[in-house]
Amino acid sequence: MRGSRRLVLAAIAVFLLPGAAPVGAQDRAVCVSESLGPQVRTALLRHVQRARDAGIPPRLVCRKINEGVSKRVPGRRLVTGTAGFVDALIVAREAAGPRASPEVLASAVDAVERGVPPQRVRAFLQANPNPRRSVVGLRVLAEFTEAGIPADAAARAVNAGLDRGMRGERLLAFSAAVRRRIRQGEAPPAALRAELEGRNPVEGRRRRN
Amino acid sequence: MTVDPRLQEWLDGEISEDQLPLELRGEAAEWSALLRELEELPVPGSAPGAEARIMAAVRRSDRESPAGAAAVRSWAAWLVLPRPIRLSPIVVAATLALVAWSLVRLVAPAGPAADGDPGRVFVQFVIAAPEARSVALAGDFNDWDPSIELSDPDLDGVWSARVALDPGVHEYMFVIDGSEWRPDPNSLSYSDDGFGQRNSVLAVSPLEGT
């Protein structure tokens, strides 16, 4: 009798602990609001399920849907935007591998959407397994590719910047400076070389404590 | 006052009332009435007949109630009745620590303004919007809920907010007057949001030593 009472007390204590509750709640989160209308809702749920079937955390798709809902994107556009995102997500997942973190996956999606071939994404991640390099590195690789720099040259330039210690906003500033030079008419190789040689890299305008 | 020895013997039960002389029988009747009144007086601390009623109820409940009900009563009594509890100091300390940790988790939910998180980095968001009556910030860090309000205390049209963010890459936009979504013109990078607009991209580096 005494043992069972202790068991009951322990169960009550575990039940009262608030720490474990949020995780379960997140996993069960229903991100597709009923206010969206039945057709839109059904279509969005299908894309959430498509991501889940591919082994992708549904919360990544939910976040994209929430973004569209917050921006008051019309229903049809919300569905097509979400569908495109899930398509890119599945390709990015294939390229990045099943162990890729959500942050790496998000950058890989951006790269795929901007035209970086999946095999280039995979190669870049294999060369840069540390997320501190790869998360921003993939973004810049995508920007260079979108700016018309051949994929091999773009990857080498990003790796060169990373090897020079460029991280975070500094790497984004490097990318912005290269693209500005290209827009102003410089040939991509010349623009890359000029910025890698450190000619007045653009500093971020944000202040940070 | 002295009591007649024969009356005393009768009171002690040593002789019957018939053995008393006639002159003592009137006094004996008075004693009998007094003794009956004494027997009917309530016992201090309990209601008249309470003991009998309680014992009858106990006997009735023992006969009538099933084993389950008895177990429930036992549990109820165990929960309700006060009792001394002996705990070692280490158990008390661990329990208090657990309660404190739970309260902290309950009171301080994860959010962009969790200033106490040592892994987070403060970022100053600034946008010039002199025509705006309100400016808010939304991004992947708050699930695109435009709940972070920027302020313009000196009314110069430059709105700002200081937000604690996790290191990594974040996409965000400003929301002007609650409806117009606008990318940050000072952002170093942008990303197509898939819905026809561009998100600003921000890379937050971890603080040195973290």
Side-chain angles (χ1 to χ4, degrees):
Chain A
M1 193 67 163
R2 177 170 292 183
S4 65
R5 282 171 178 166
R6 283 181 180 162
L7 199 63
V8 169
L9 283 178
I12 291 171
V14 168
F15 180 76
L16 290 176
L17 274 180
V23 175
Q26 280 175 358
D27 288 345
R28 291 191 301 272
V30 177
C31 61
V32 183
S33 166
E34 293 194 14
S35 65
L36 286 170
Q39 285 185 324
V40 172
R41 193 162 184 269
T42 302
L44 291 174
L45 285 172
R46 199 166 60 241
H47 292 305
V48 172
Q49 187 59 43
R50 202 153 59 89
R52 187 182 280 123
D53 291 344
I56 296 165
R59 65 190 166 96
L60 292 176
V61 186
C62 289
R63 183 185 289 169
K64 177 53 72 176
I65 293 171
N66 286 340
E67 178 185 348
V69 170
S70 286
K71 291 177 176 175
R72 294 174 189 160
V73 173
R76 182 173 290 181
R77 185 150 210 169
L78 182 63
V79 172
T80 55
T82 303
F85 177 76
V86 174
D87 290 344
L89 198 51
I90 290 171
V91 173
R93 166 81 171 203
E94 192 73 22
R99 292 187 177 182
S101 69
E103 291 74 23
V104 170
L105 259 186
S107 288
V109 166
D110 181 65
V112 168
E113 286 179 329
R114 292 190 197 215
V116 180
Q119 61 271 26
R120 176 60 58 192
V121 173
R122 185 183 298 118
F124 185 84
L125 289 173
Q126 285 170 349
N128 298 281
N130 184 344
R132 284 190 67 181
R133 287 172 65 102
S134 61
V135 170
V136 184
L138 269 177
R139 296 268 177 172
V140 174
L141 176 64
E143 288 176 340
F144 284 168
T145 304
E146 196 176 48
I149 300 173
D152 279 345
R156 276 202 298 273
V158 175
N159 283 326
L162 288 167
D163 291 342
R164 283 167 166 76
M166 295 180 188
R167 298 285 187 277
E169 288 282 280
R170 195 160 163 234
L171 194 61
L172 292 182
F174 165 63
S175 168
V178 170
R179 287 179 287 127
R180 188 181 307 114
R181 285 178 183 270
I182 293 171
R183 278 199 306 273
Q184 290 169 350
E186 279 191 44
L192 280 172
R193 195 177 303 112
E195 291 303 324
L196 281 173
E197 287 170 2
R199 294 180 212 161
N200 301 322
V202 175
E203 292 296 336
R205 294 188 206 174
R206 291 185 195 87
R207 288 170 283 136
R208 185 178 298 162
N209 295 13
Chain B
M1 177 187 173
T2 57
V3 179
D4 185 286
R6 284 166 298 175
L7 195 58
Q8 184 65 58
E9 288 174 358
W10 171 75
L11 285 171
D12 292 341
E14 294 171 359
I15 61 173
S16 68
E17 192 173 348
D18 297 338
Q19 295 173 288
L20 285 174
L22 287 175
E23 66 271 18
L24 290 178
R25 288 191 182 177
E27 195 176 345
E30 288 178 19
W31 275 107
S32 292
L34 177 62
L35 289 171
R36 274 197 304 275
E37 287 175 23
L38 286 174
E39 281 179 357
E40 289 174 3
L41 281 177
V43 176
S46 63
E51 183 181 348
R53 284 201 303 277
I54 290 169
M55 291 310 295
V58 168
R59 281 191 292 273
R60 194 166 56 247
S61 74
D62 283 349
R63 280 196 311 272
E64 294 173 358
S65 63
V72 168
R73 275 199 309 279
S74 166
W75 274 93
W78 182 80
L79 287 171
V80 169
L81 292 176
R83 65 191 64 246
I85 298 175
R86 292 191 302 165
L87 292 172
S88 70
I90 187 73
V91 169
V92 173
T95 305
L96 289 176
L98 194 62
V99 168
W101 175 79
S102 301
L103 287 174
V104 167
R105 289 286 303 270
L106 190 67
V107 171
D115 296 359
D117 189 335
R120 290 192 157 192
V121 178
F122 282 105
V123 177
Q124 185 85 3
F125 289 89
V126 180
I127 183 171
E131 78 288 0
R133 283 170 296 175
S134 71
V135 179
L137 175 70
D140 55 17
F141 40 80
N142 66 352
D143 215 11
W144 294 96
D145 178 12
S147 56
I148 301 172
E149 294 180 0
L150 279 71
S151 63
D152 178 16
D154 52 7
L155 303 176
D156 63 352
V158 178
W159 300 74
S160 65
R162 190 166 170 261
V163 182
L165 295 179
D166 287 324
V169 174
H170 298 285
E171 297 188 13
Y172 66 98
M173 285 185 88
F174 294 112
V175 185
I176 310 296
D177 294 336
S179 58
E180 182 195 344
W181 288 70
R182 192 182 293 179
D184 184 349
N186 293 324
S187 180
L188 292 167
S189 179
Y190 299 92
S191 176
D192 186 350
D193 71 353
F195 303 123
Q197 297 190 78
R198 289 191 316 162
N199 293 330
S200 302
V201 177
L202 165 71
V204 178
S205 296
L207 292 172
E208 294 299 323
T210 60

Short mmCIF file of all heavy atoms in Angstrom, two decimals, chain B residues 64-103:
data_model
loop_
_atom_site.label_atom_id
_atom_site.label_comp_id
_atom_site.label_asym_id
_atom_site.label_seq_id
_atom_site.Cartn_x
_atom_site.Cartn_y
_atom_site.Cartn_z
N GLU B 64 -22.44 -3.27 5.40
CA GLU B 64 -23.07 -2.91 4.14
C GLU B 64 -22.08 -2.53 3.03
O GLU B 64 -22.34 -2.78 1.86
CB GLU B 64 -24.03 -1.73 4.36
CG GLU B 64 -25.22 -2.09 5.24
CD GLU B 64 -26.05 -0.87 5.58
OE1 GLU B 64 -25.66 0.24 5.16
OE2 GLU B 64 -27.06 -1.04 6.29
N SER B 65 -20.96 -1.84 3.34
CA SER B 65 -20.12 -1.28 2.28
C SER B 65 -19.22 -2.35 1.68
O SER B 65 -18.69 -3.19 2.37
CB SER B 65 -19.26 -0.16 2.83
OG SER B 65 -18.40 -0.66 3.80
N PRO B 66 -19.03 -2.27 0.30
CA PRO B 66 -18.13 -3.22 -0.35
C PRO B 66 -16.67 -2.87 -0.06
O PRO B 66 -16.36 -1.80 0.46
CB PRO B 66 -18.45 -3.04 -1.84
CG PRO B 66 -18.99 -1.64 -1.93
CD PRO B 66 -19.66 -1.37 -0.63
N ALA B 67 -15.77 -3.75 -0.50
CA ALA B 67 -14.34 -3.55 -0.23
C ALA B 67 -13.81 -2.30 -0.93
O ALA B 67 -12.97 -1.59 -0.41
CB ALA B 67 -13.56 -4.78 -0.67
N GLY B 68 -14.33 -2.00 -2.16
CA GLY B 68 -13.86 -0.85 -2.92
C GLY B 68 -14.11 0.45 -2.19
O GLY B 68 -13.24 1.33 -2.12
N ALA B 69 -15.33 0.55 -1.64
CA ALA B 69 -15.66 1.78 -0.92
C ALA B 69 -14.77 1.94 0.30
O ALA B 69 -14.33 3.06 0.62
CB ALA B 69 -17.13 1.76 -0.51
N ALA B 70 -14.50 0.85 0.94
CA ALA B 70 -13.61 0.92 2.11
C ALA B 70 -12.22 1.39 1.70
O ALA B 70 -11.59 2.20 2.39
CB ALA B 70 -13.55 -0.44 2.79
N ALA B 71 -11.76 0.90 0.53
CA ALA B 71 -10.43 1.32 0.07
C ALA B 71 -10.41 2.80 -0.26
O ALA B 71 -9.45 3.51 0.04
CB ALA B 71 -10.05 0.50 -1.17
N VAL B 72 -11.53 3.26 -0.88
CA VAL B 72 -11.60 4.69 -1.21
C VAL B 72 -11.54 5.52 0.06
O VAL B 72 -10.83 6.53 0.14
CB VAL B 72 -12.88 5.00 -2.01
CG1 VAL B 72 -13.11 6.49 -2.11
CG2 VAL B 72 -12.78 4.39 -3.41
N ARG B 73 -12.30 5.06 1.07
CA ARG B 73 -12.29 5.81 2.33
C ARG B 73 -10.89 5.82 2.94
O ARG B 73 -10.43 6.81 3.48
CB ARG B 73 -13.29 5.20 3.31
CG ARG B 73 -14.70 5.72 3.11
CD ARG B 73 -15.52 5.47 4.36
NE ARG B 73 -15.44 4.09 4.80
CZ ARG B 73 -16.17 3.10 4.27
NH1 ARG B 73 -17.00 3.35 3.30
NH2 ARG B 73 -16.04 1.87 4.73
N SER B 74 -10.22 4.69 2.78
CA SER B 74 -8.87 4.61 3.33
C SER B 74 -7.94 5.60 2.64
O SER B 74 -7.16 6.31 3.27
CB SER B 74 -8.35 3.18 3.16
OG SER B 74 -6.97 3.14 3.38
N TRP B 75 -8.05 5.66 1.29
CA TRP B 75 -7.22 6.60 0.53
C TRP B 75 -7.56 8.03 0.90
O TRP B 75 -6.68 8.87 1.07
CB TRP B 75 -7.44 6.41 -0.98
CG TRP B 75 -6.57 5.35 -1.55
CD1 TRP B 75 -6.86 4.04 -1.72
CD2 TRP B 75 -5.23 5.52 -2.02
NE1 TRP B 75 -5.80 3.37 -2.25
CE2 TRP B 75 -4.79 4.25 -2.46
CE3 TRP B 75 -4.37 6.61 -2.10
CZ2 TRP B 75 -3.51 4.06 -2.96
CZ3 TRP B 75 -3.11 6.41 -2.62
CH2 TRP B 75 -2.69 5.15 -3.04
N ALA B 76 -8.88 8.28 0.99
CA ALA B 76 -9.30 9.64 1.31
C ALA B 76 -8.76 10.05 2.67
O ALA B 76 -8.24 11.16 2.85
CB ALA B 76 -10.82 9.74 1.28
N ALA B 77 -8.85 9.11 3.62
CA ALA B 77 -8.35 9.43 4.95
C ALA B 77 -6.85 9.67 4.91
O ALA B 77 -6.32 10.58 5.55
CB ALA B 77 -8.68 8.28 5.91
N TRP B 78 -6.16 8.86 4.09
CA TRP B 78 -4.70 9.01 4.00
C TRP B 78 -4.31 10.37 3.41
O TRP B 78 -3.36 11.00 3.82
CB TRP B 78 -4.13 7.90 3.12
CG TRP B 78 -2.64 7.93 3.00
CD1 TRP B 78 -1.72 7.48 3.89
CD2 TRP B 78 -1.89 8.47 1.91
NE1 TRP B 78 -0.44 7.70 3.43
CE2 TRP B 78 -0.53 8.31 2.22
CE3 TRP B 78 -2.24 9.08 0.71
CZ2 TRP B 78 0.48 8.72 1.36
CZ3 TRP B 78 -1.23 9.49 -0.14
CH2 TRP B 78 0.11 9.31 0.20
N LEU B 79 -5.12 10.82 2.44
CA LEU B 79 -4.82 12.10 1.80
C LEU B 79 -5.19 13.28 2.69
O LEU B 79 -4.53 14.32 2.65
CB LEU B 79 -5.57 12.22 0.47
CG LEU B 79 -5.04 11.35 -0.67
CD1 LEU B 79 -5.99 11.39 -1.86
CD2 LEU B 79 -3.67 11.86 -1.14
N VAL B 80 -6.27 13.13 3.43
CA VAL B 80 -6.82 14.29 4.15
C VAL B 80 -6.21 14.45 5.53
O VAL B 80 -5.92 15.58 5.96
CB VAL B 80 -8.36 14.14 4.25
CG1 VAL B 80 -8.93 15.17 5.21
CG2 VAL B 80 -8.98 14.29 2.87
N LEU B 81 -6.00 13.35 6.22
CA LEU B 81 -5.56 13.47 7.60
C LEU B 81 -4.14 14.00 7.68
O LEU B 81 -3.28 13.54 6.92
CB LEU B 81 -5.65 12.11 8.30
CG LEU B 81 -7.07 11.59 8.49
CD1 LEU B 81 -7.03 10.19 9.11
CD2 LEU B 81 -7.86 12.53 9.40
N PRO B 82 -3.90 14.96 8.55
CA PRO B 82 -2.52 15.45 8.71
C PRO B 82 -1.64 14.39 9.31
O PRO B 82 -2.09 13.57 10.13
CB PRO B 82 -2.68 16.65 9.66
CG PRO B 82 -3.96 16.41 10.36
CD PRO B 82 -4.84 15.63 9.45
N ARG B 83 -0.39 14.36 8.88
CA ARG B 83 0.54 13.37 9.41
C ARG B 83 1.96 13.93 9.31
O ARG B 83 2.26 14.72 8.40
CB ARG B 83 0.44 12.06 8.63
CG ARG B 83 0.88 12.17 7.17
CD ARG B 83 0.51 10.95 6.37
NE ARG B 83 -0.91 10.77 6.29
CZ ARG B 83 -1.54 9.73 6.84
NH1 ARG B 83 -0.88 8.80 7.49
NH2 ARG B 83 -2.84 9.64 6.73
N PRO B 84 2.78 13.56 10.18
CA PRO B 84 4.18 14.01 10.08
C PRO B 84 4.89 13.28 8.95
O PRO B 84 4.65 12.09 8.72
CB PRO B 84 4.77 13.60 11.44
CG PRO B 84 3.90 12.52 11.94
CD PRO B 84 2.52 12.76 11.39
N ILE B 85 5.70 14.04 8.18
CA ILE B 85 6.46 13.45 7.08
C ILE B 85 7.92 13.66 7.36
O ILE B 85 8.35 14.78 7.65
CB ILE B 85 6.08 14.11 5.74
CG1 ILE B 85 4.59 13.87 5.44
CG2 ILE B 85 6.93 13.55 4.60
CD1 ILE B 85 4.10 14.60 4.21
N ARG B 86 8.68 12.61 7.25
CA ARG B 86 10.12 12.74 7.50
C ARG B 86 10.85 12.70 6.17
O ARG B 86 10.66 11.78 5.38
CB ARG B 86 10.59 11.61 8.41
CG ARG B 86 10.02 11.75 9.82
CD ARG B 86 10.69 10.79 10.78
NE ARG B 86 10.55 9.41 10.33
CZ ARG B 86 11.26 8.41 10.82
NH1 ARG B 86 12.17 8.63 11.74
NH2 ARG B 86 11.08 7.18 10.38
N LEU B 87 11.64 13.72 5.89
CA LEU B 87 12.40 13.78 4.64
C LEU B 87 13.84 14.14 4.96
O LEU B 87 14.10 14.93 5.87
CB LEU B 87 11.82 14.86 3.70
CG LEU B 87 10.44 14.60 3.11
CD1 LEU B 87 9.96 15.84 2.37
CD2 LEU B 87 10.48 13.42 2.15
N SER B 88 14.73 13.56 4.18
CA SER B 88 16.13 13.93 4.37
C SER B 88 16.38 15.28 3.73
O SER B 88 15.69 15.66 2.77
CB SER B 88 17.03 12.87 3.74
OG SER B 88 16.93 12.95 2.36
N PRO B 89 17.33 16.05 4.22
CA PRO B 89 17.61 17.37 3.64
C PRO B 89 17.92 17.32 2.15
O PRO B 89 17.53 18.22 1.40
CB PRO B 89 18.83 17.85 4.44
CG PRO B 89 18.73 17.11 5.73
CD PRO B 89 18.13 15.78 5.41
N ILE B 90 18.55 16.27 1.69
CA ILE B 90 18.92 16.20 0.27
C ILE B 90 17.66 16.07 -0.60
O ILE B 90 17.56 16.65 -1.68
CB ILE B 90 19.91 15.03 0.01
CG1 ILE B 90 20.43 15.07 -1.43
CG2 ILE B 90 19.27 13.68 0.28
CD1 ILE B 90 21.41 16.18 -1.66
N VAL B 91 16.66 15.33 -0.08
CA VAL B 91 15.41 15.19 -0.82
C VAL B 91 14.68 16.53 -0.87
O VAL B 91 14.15 16.94 -1.91
CB VAL B 91 14.52 14.10 -0.18
CG1 VAL B 91 13.12 14.13 -0.78
CG2 VAL B 91 15.15 12.74 -0.38
N VAL B 92 14.68 17.25 0.27
CA VAL B 92 14.04 18.57 0.31
C VAL B 92 14.72 19.52 -0.67
O VAL B 92 14.07 20.22 -1.45
CB VAL B 92 14.09 19.15 1.74
CG1 VAL B 92 13.57 20.58 1.74
CG2 VAL B 92 13.25 18.29 2.68
N ALA B 93 16.06 19.51 -0.67
CA ALA B 93 16.81 20.41 -1.57
C ALA B 93 16.52 20.08 -3.03
O ALA B 93 16.28 20.97 -3.85
CB ALA B 93 18.30 20.30 -1.28
N ALA B 94 16.50 18.78 -3.35
CA ALA B 94 16.25 18.38 -4.73
C ALA B 94 14.83 18.76 -5.15
O ALA B 94 14.60 19.24 -6.27
CB ALA B 94 16.45 16.87 -4.88
N THR B 95 13.88 18.59 -4.24
CA THR B 95 12.50 18.94 -4.57
C THR B 95 12.36 20.44 -4.81
O THR B 95 11.72 20.87 -5.78
CB THR B 95 11.57 18.51 -3.41
OG1 THR B 95 11.76 17.12 -3.18
CG2 THR B 95 10.11 18.76 -3.78
N LEU B 96 12.97 21.24 -3.94
CA LEU B 96 12.90 22.69 -4.10
C LEU B 96 13.54 23.12 -5.42
O LEU B 96 13.03 23.99 -6.13
CB LEU B 96 13.58 23.39 -2.93
CG LEU B 96 12.83 23.31 -1.60
CD1 LEU B 96 13.65 23.95 -0.48
CD2 LEU B 96 11.46 23.98 -1.70
N ALA B 97 14.69 22.48 -5.74
CA ALA B 97 15.35 22.82 -7.00
C ALA B 97 14.47 22.48 -8.19
O ALA B 97 14.37 23.24 -9.16
CB ALA B 97 16.69 22.07 -7.10
N LEU B 98 13.79 21.33 -8.11
CA LEU B 98 12.91 20.91 -9.19
C LEU B 98 11.74 21.87 -9.36
O LEU B 98 11.38 22.26 -10.47
CB LEU B 98 12.39 19.49 -8.89
CG LEU B 98 11.73 18.73 -10.03
CD1 LEU B 98 12.74 18.51 -11.16
CD2 LEU B 98 11.19 17.40 -9.54
N VAL B 99 11.18 22.29 -8.24
CA VAL B 99 10.05 23.23 -8.29
C VAL B 99 10.52 24.57 -8.88
O VAL B 99 9.85 25.15 -9.73
CB VAL B 99 9.47 23.43 -6.88
CG1 VAL B 99 8.50 24.61 -6.86
CG2 VAL B 99 8.74 22.16 -6.42
N ALA B 100 11.70 25.03 -8.44
CA ALA B 100 12.21 26.30 -8.95
C ALA B 100 12.45 26.22 -10.45
O ALA B 100 12.08 27.12 -11.22
CB ALA B 100 13.50 26.67 -8.23
N TRP B 101 13.04 25.10 -10.89
CA TRP B 101 13.29 24.91 -12.32
C TRP B 101 11.99 24.89 -13.11
O TRP B 101 11.88 25.50 -14.17
CB TRP B 101 14.07 23.61 -12.52
CG TRP B 101 14.30 23.24 -13.95
CD1 TRP B 101 15.25 23.74 -14.80
CD2 TRP B 101 13.57 22.28 -14.72
NE1 TRP B 101 15.15 23.16 -16.02
CE2 TRP B 101 14.13 22.25 -16.01
CE3 TRP B 101 12.50 21.44 -14.44
CZ2 TRP B 101 13.66 21.42 -17.00
CZ3 TRP B 101 12.03 20.60 -15.44
CH2 TRP B 101 12.61 20.60 -16.70
N SER B 102 10.99 24.22 -12.56
CA SER B 102 9.70 24.15 -13.24
C SER B 102 9.06 25.52 -13.35
O SER B 102 8.50 25.88 -14.40
CB SER B 102 8.75 23.21 -12.48
OG SER B 102 9.31 21.94 -12.40
N LEU B 103 9.16 26.32 -12.29
CA LEU B 103 8.59 27.66 -12.32
C LEU B 103 9.28 28.52 -13.35
O LEU B 103 8.64 29.29 -14.07
CB LEU B 103 8.69 28.31 -10.93
CG LEU B 103 7.72 27.75 -9.89
CD1 LEU B 103 8.00 28.37 -8.52
CD2 LEU B 103 6.27 28.04 -10.30
#
